[in-house]
Amino acid sequence: MADCLDVLRRFFAEEGSGKVLTRQRTESWLPHQQTDTFYQCKTMEGGVPYIGKYVIRIDSNVTRKKHQGYLSRTEHIPFANGSWMGMLLVFSTDTGELLGWMPDGYLQRTRVGALYALAADYLARADSVEVGLIGSGWQAGGQILGLFCVRNIKRVRVYSSNSDNRSRFANELQASLGTEVKPVADARDAIAKADIIALATNANQKVMQAAWVEPGQHVNSIRFLELDPLLYESCDRVVVNRAEPWIQNYYLGELCPQDVKDAKLPAFPAGRAIEAYEFFAGQLKRVRGSEITLFPNEASNYQLGGQFAAVAGFVLDRAREKGLGRELPADWFSQTLLP
């Protein structure tokens, strides 16, 4: 996680000088025979000349909406062997060759955790010691690991709608970090008086109320549907990405999931919005201790393909240095005919 933070700091410094390239993320949706289920192919890519790498991320999934009472979640259905399809292809910008091929799951979690930690490093109070976490899944753990790299976190309170999951998550995280991680039965109890609020769910609706947020708190949110849109208006500072749209959906007729079709980004507060390109260059930070600050999902997708290129390029270089991975024949991935 600490390495990933360093990689992203360097990436955004280079990006601020116009030295990286990112292509817009795309998602393609096709029908499926099961109700509320769709085939989804997601791609994003980018190039980082300072390390000579170009990376394409490809995820191929069958996605369904799972209902829990009045709530719903989006989840990827695993294959029969319990696995998923997600990969990163790393190319050389010097020769055009395919240099490496790796799964994207662990790298994605680490990149997300490091990115939101970087945001908290700029926006959360320097004396922040307590985190209120909503979510107990794969990405939730990454949020806490990242925050540990930038603040002296002493306590974590975690809420999720599944009581068994949140208890298991809290016990495992407390054992691995040696820090108090307490499961709570109410979302508001999780975030009350916390210094940093971290939302890390796969919910299709808001998981907290904007009115619950207190002066001095910093809020991270990794999925825009989980965040109360009213929070944009009540925050003193919110990071935004004006490169819109950052995602392009392709789908057949009415077959795309309704939450994808209907998702609209909120209006950003005039005079209180920090442009992403300025923010990641480290030009703007918290001004007053009492400010409420927000780093939403929409801001985290700034130069997303390029972020993957920088992190995957770093991983590939370190794997070669350590003699890790498996060598595959180069002729599997090349041809003798001129394309």
Side-chain angles (χ1 to χ4, degrees), residues 86-267:
M87 70 182 78
L88 294 154
L89 304 177
V90 184
F91 298 90
S92 167
T93 58
D94 296 324
T95 68
E97 296 171 287
L98 178 66
L99 300 176
W101 177 16
M102 66 187 75
D104 69 350
Y106 183 82
L107 186 145
Q108 157 70 341
R109 182 203 196 209
T110 308
R111 184 200 62 80
V112 171
L115 181 68
Y116 282 87
L118 182 61
D121 198 23
Y122 290 155
L123 291 173
R125 300 193 322 272
D127 61 353
S128 297
V129 295
E130 186 161 351
V131 178
L133 174 66
I134 299 181
S136 60
W138 176 243
Q139 290 288 0
Q143 290 293 298
I144 302 303
L145 294 175
L147 291 172
F148 263 70
C149 291
V150 297
R151 291 293 184 271
N152 182 26
I153 303 300
K154 296 180 179 178
R155 293 176 297 278
V156 178
R157 279 173 283 147
V158 57
Y159 167 79
S160 74
S161 58
N162 188 312
S163 59
D164 291 338
N165 280 355
R166 69 173 178 254
S167 294
R168 172 196 49 77
F169 175 90
N171 291 336
E172 291 177 356
L173 199 62
Q174 180 167 291
S176 64
L177 296 177
T179 299
E180 178 185 347
V181 182
K182 181 181 179 181
V184 296
D186 183 79
R188 189 166 189 174
D189 289 342
I191 68 176
K193 301 188 184 303
D195 303 306
I196 299 172
I197 298 171
L199 310 183
T201 75
N202 58 358
N204 291 325
Q205 57 281 310
K206 63 183 179 183
V207 297
M208 56 165 283
Q209 302 291 332
W212 298 351
V213 180
E214 305 164 11
Q217 291 182 321
H218 168 67
V219 183
N220 280 339
S221 173
I222 70 170
R223 181 173 169 83
F224 63 89
L225 292 172
E226 70 187 357
L227 188 67
D228 186 345
L230 294 177
L231 190 57
Y232 285 84
E233 292 301 322
S234 58
C235 282
D236 298 285
R237 287 177 178 268
V238 55
V239 182
V240 301
N241 178 8
R242 297 297 183 183
E244 297 173 339
W246 57 267
I247 181 173
Q248 180 65 50
N249 285 294
Y250 297 88
Y251 53 93
L252 293 178
E254 296 299 316
L255 297 170
C256 185
Q258 198 66 32
D259 57 281
V260 172
K261 290 195 302 179
D262 294 345
K264 304 294 183 184
L265 296 176

Side-chain angles (χ1 to χ4, degrees), residues 10-123:
R10 168 75 187 278
F11 169 79
F12 286 117
E14 296 284 343
E15 189 278 331
S17 301
K19 296 179 181 178
V20 301
L21 175 70
T22 288
R23 180 186 63 75
Q24 181 188 50
R25 166 177 162 179
T26 63
E27 294 186 10
S28 298
W29 299 85
L30 295 175
H32 196 277
Q33 65 266 27
Q34 297 182 28
T35 304
D36 281 340
T37 304
F38 307 88
Y39 171 78
Q40 176 205 38
C41 183
K42 176 172 61 183
T43 65
M44 59 197 73
E45 60 191 73
V48 281
Y50 64 93
I51 60 172
K53 304 290 195 305
Y54 193 91
V55 171
I56 302 176
R57 181 192 183 198
I58 305 171
D59 281 1
S60 176
N61 296 295
V62 172
T63 299
R64 68 184 171 198
K65 186 181 291 186
K66 185 177 181 180
H67 298 277
Q68 295 177 313
Y70 67 93
L71 301 176
S72 66
R73 299 283 187 269
T74 299
E75 63 180 15
H76 298 318
I77 302 174
F79 304 146
N81 64 359
S83 63
W84 292 266
M85 175 61 69
M87 70 182 78
L88 294 154
L89 304 177
V90 184
F91 298 90
S92 167
T93 58
D94 296 324
T95 68
E97 296 171 287
L98 178 66
L99 300 176
W101 177 16
M102 66 187 75
D104 69 350
Y106 183 82
L107 186 145
Q108 157 70 341
R109 182 203 196 209
T110 308
R111 184 200 62 80
V112 171
L115 181 68
Y116 282 87
L118 182 61
D121 198 23
Y122 290 155
L123 291 173

Side-chain angles (χ1 to χ4, degrees), residues 281-301:
Q283 298 176 23
L284 296 168
K285 300 184 178 182
R286 172 180 287 269
V287 175
R288 303 182 310 277
S290 61
E291 284 185 327
I292 297 174
T293 57
L294 172 63
F295 187 79
N297 167 273
E298 185 271 340
S300 76
N301 290 283

